[in-house]
Amino acid sequence: MARLFGTDGVRGLANGEVITAHLALELSQAAATVLTQGRHAERRRAEGRRPRAVLARDPRISGEFIAAAVASGLASSGIDVLDAGVIPTPAAAFLVDDIGADFGVVVSASHNPAPDNGIKFFAYGGTKLPDEVEDRIEAALESPELLPTGADVGRIRRFADAEDRYLVHLLGTLGGQRLDGLHVVLDCAHGAAAGISPQLFTDAGARVTVIGNDPDGVNINDGVGSTHLGPLQKTVVELGADLGIAHDGDADRCLAVDHDGEVVDGDRIMAILALSLRSRGMLTDDTLVATVMSNLGLKIAMAEHGIRMLETAVGDRYVLEALGEHGLALGGEQSGHIVFREYSTTGDGLLTGLQLAAEVARTGKTLAELAAVMTVYPQVLVNVRGVDRARLADDEGVQAAVRDAEARLGETGRVLLRPSGTEPLVRVMVEAADQATAESLAEELADVVRARLAI
């Protein structure tokens, strides 16, 4: 049987084969048996308190019945549920830590289209679950559930000040820096940020224009947000705004647009913020954490400024693990998942956008000037389908082709071949000093993969 949990919780078509009300109920009951254990549970029992969980969702229509099923599963297991309603995923993670809840549950499919949905969990402290804990929850689906009776069943209550707590927290990260004089366009992707992001930037002093802020349950990520930057680019240029900030459906990522409408991706955002933190003595060990998919230009730019780049596997959970293991301050992904370890336990698109705008205000430079610190190398990605990904690492013909490509590129590029975790697919990525070289080498390697690994 395939593993239920993917790279970011359990996700799929709502009311399809995986994400159903039945699964939401049973998965929540299983999580209750696993996530209420540990030292925090001992303290809670000593204080005579019932376990507590924070529940949140994005505004997609299926989130209503799925969240209701999650709440029912938790309460039937003796968990008091604090229902925060529609709030960003990073807000839920913050709230779990802020109130000392046993865990949190977020019903969201992030940047996916509206018909999809998902269920993800945060452990005590607001951190993502390691694989082994997810495996324990999955195994608990086959175990007897907790079924307290009488006064021991959980209660479901509205988390009335959830947004206010999160808003105050984010504003507190500015350290007195204001955004006065900046005109910021926000694209909320018709998602979870629609209510709070405009308020955040307004309270910080910015002049705010908002698009993608009318969620109706079915328009989340539909032609707007961090996966569709065209409307944001157009609006920023037409209004002569200083910059634009784009969130995805659950607001755990952030991409930006400068005053000319040019995209500033997660790599450039990390470069800007790493230099900002270092200038203020806040970049621990002068080290930035990024994944192997980050552009070579980021590594070169950081090296030129005396900043080391620690690379991880693809996925924000691996970035988080590296930050925690080495006690580092900043990390992220090209996609815009950026983590400030001092302020958050997961990627936070609102925090990232706020800090990026604050750096523009602090320095008096345009976002384009700040982003110029990094030269983006042409990067070509080819998905080779219908191949045996399991043979990738051991096939000498493929590895010889990779070595030859690397020798031809030298210090002016790099090659990365990565198997998909779920499909018969290999991703071929080539970076080079010019687009033509990157394209020709990527296609050349893709042909080798097709020939050598065909199923």
Side-chain angles (χ1 to χ4, degrees), residues 174 176-184 201 204-207 242-243 245 272-273 276 280 352-370:
L174 289 174
Q177 176 66 51
R178 298 278 299 169
L179 305 185
D180 299 306
L182 284 186
H183 182 186
V184 180
F201 281 83
R207 175 188 167 199
D242 294 292
L243 70 153
I245 299 294
I272 294 167
L273 296 176
S276 174
R280 291 176 283 150
T352 300
L354 186 67
Q355 293 295 324
L356 187 64
E359 185 63 10
V360 172
R362 183 182 296 113
T363 62
K365 295 181 179 180
T366 66
L367 180 56
E369 289 173 321
L370 293 173

Side-chain angles (χ1 to χ4, degrees), residues 345-395:
T345 58
T346 189
D348 190 329
L350 281 78
L351 174 61
T352 300
L354 186 67
Q355 293 295 324
L356 187 64
E359 185 63 10
V360 172
R362 183 182 296 113
T363 62
K365 295 181 179 180
T366 66
L367 180 56
E369 289 173 321
L370 293 173
V373 68
M374 173 186 157
T375 298
V376 177
Y377 276 52
Q379 188 179 76
V380 174
L381 178 66
V382 179
N383 289 325
V384 186
R385 301 182 183 277
V387 294
D388 185 356
R389 67 184 190 275
R391 289 163 35 208
L392 175 64
D394 297 325
D395 189 279

Side-chain angles (χ1 to χ4, degrees), residues 305-321:
H305 288 83
I307 295 174
R308 182 171 71 100
M309 199 168 92
L310 179 62
E311 291 183 320
T312 74
V314 176
D316 62 335
R317 69 163 60 193
Y318 302 112
V319 172
L320 285 160
E321 287 174 4

